[in-house]
Amino acid sequence: MAADDTVPVPEGEPEPDADVDDGFSDDAVDDVLAEAEAILVGDLDELRRERDELLDLSRRLQADFENFRKRMTREQAEVTERATVRLIERLLPVLDSFELAVGSMERVEVDEQVRKGIELVFAGLTDVLNAEGLERIEALDAPFDPNEHEAVLHDDGDAEPRVAEVLRSGWRLKGRVVRPAMVKVTREG
């Protein structure tokens, strides 16, 4: 190298430390940067709005799904309950027949093993139905209640109507009357 330690620059290229005039003033560069920043801020604001809308949509969909799930659970419980009520209603005549059979065995001579068998089957059936929420409406000597009793016979009088005789048992399933008791009502004091 020469004593001045300078590197020769090919022709047509600017010196490395020389000020290069790129044709842009400092104000023009600042304006371009400010415009680019404004565009980026606008894009960022737009992305935030879109994000917020999507979050809102997501929350609404989640709430809708939760409501749907609750409604389906409720409807499924109602369908199960209606099916249970229909089955119980179909079994009530069988229960009535057993009740009549057990009652008639007290009035006639029946083999002890037959009596025990019928009583065991009747007890088993009522235990299963009771476990499912079926309960007998206790009506004898109770005040007459048209929601729980169906009066098919009645005596005249001035007293408060009371159930004098139960002709057919009434039943509730989980607190709701499935079949009212068929009763004879009296107004005797």
Side-chain angles (χ1 to χ4, degrees):
M1 282 249 161
D4 61 2
D5 285 340
T6 58
V7 177
V9 177
E11 259 184 62
E13 289 198 26
E15 294 283 327
D17 290 341
D19 286 335
V20 176
D21 183 15
D22 54 10
F24 295 109
S25 69
D26 287 343
D27 289 338
V29 169
D30 288 344
D31 289 345
V32 169
L33 289 175
E35 187 178 324
E37 183 180 358
I39 290 172
L40 289 174
V41 167
D43 288 349
L44 183 61
D45 287 343
E46 178 64 26
L47 288 173
R48 284 183 179 145
R49 270 193 304 279
E50 287 178 18
R51 179 204 62 198
D52 291 344
E53 287 173 7
L54 290 173
L55 281 172
D56 186 47
L57 176 64
S58 171
R59 288 182 185 125
R60 279 190 310 224
L61 286 173
Q62 188 172 12
D64 286 347
F65 178 74
E66 227 10 75
N67 290 336
F68 170 78
R69 189 184 60 75
K70 288 177 185 176
R71 188 178 73 242
M72 292 283 65
T73 301
R74 190 174 47 249
E75 287 177 6
Q76 193 174 32
E78 289 170 1
V79 165
T80 301
E81 186 175 329
R82 282 194 305 269
T84 301
V85 168
R86 280 195 305 267
L87 178 62
I88 296 290
E89 287 173 340
R90 292 179 65 199
L91 285 174
L92 287 179
V94 175
L95 200 58
D96 292 338
S97 296
F98 266 116
E99 206 169 43
L100 289 172
V102 169
S104 70
M105 287 189 309
E106 295 171 5
R107 294 185 297 271
V108 296
E109 182 91 20
V110 177
D111 181 63
E112 189 59 32
Q113 289 181 332
V114 171
R115 177 189 310 274
K116 279 280 192 207
I118 291 174
E119 288 173 349
L120 284 172
V121 172
F122 180 66
L125 179 61
T126 56
D127 287 347
V128 167
L129 294 173
N130 289 343
E132 293 301 316
L134 187 69
E135 60 183 326
R136 182 185 308 270
I137 296 173
E138 298 302 329
L140 192 59
D141 281 335
F144 178 73
D145 179 354
N147 296 315
E148 294 189 342
H149 308 125
E150 179 183 348
V152 292
L153 298 171
H154 60 86
D155 293 339
D156 292 330
D158 295 329
E160 188 70 25
R162 297 192 71 75
V163 175
E165 185 180 345
V166 177
L167 305 172
R168 183 185 72 198
S169 294
W171 297 93
R172 276 188 218 96
L173 181 63
K174 298 179 182 174
R176 193 176 127 238
V177 175
V178 176
R179 183 180 77 184
M182 188 181 296
V183 297
K184 177 181 177 183
V185 177
T186 186
R187 290 183 175 262
E188 295 175 3

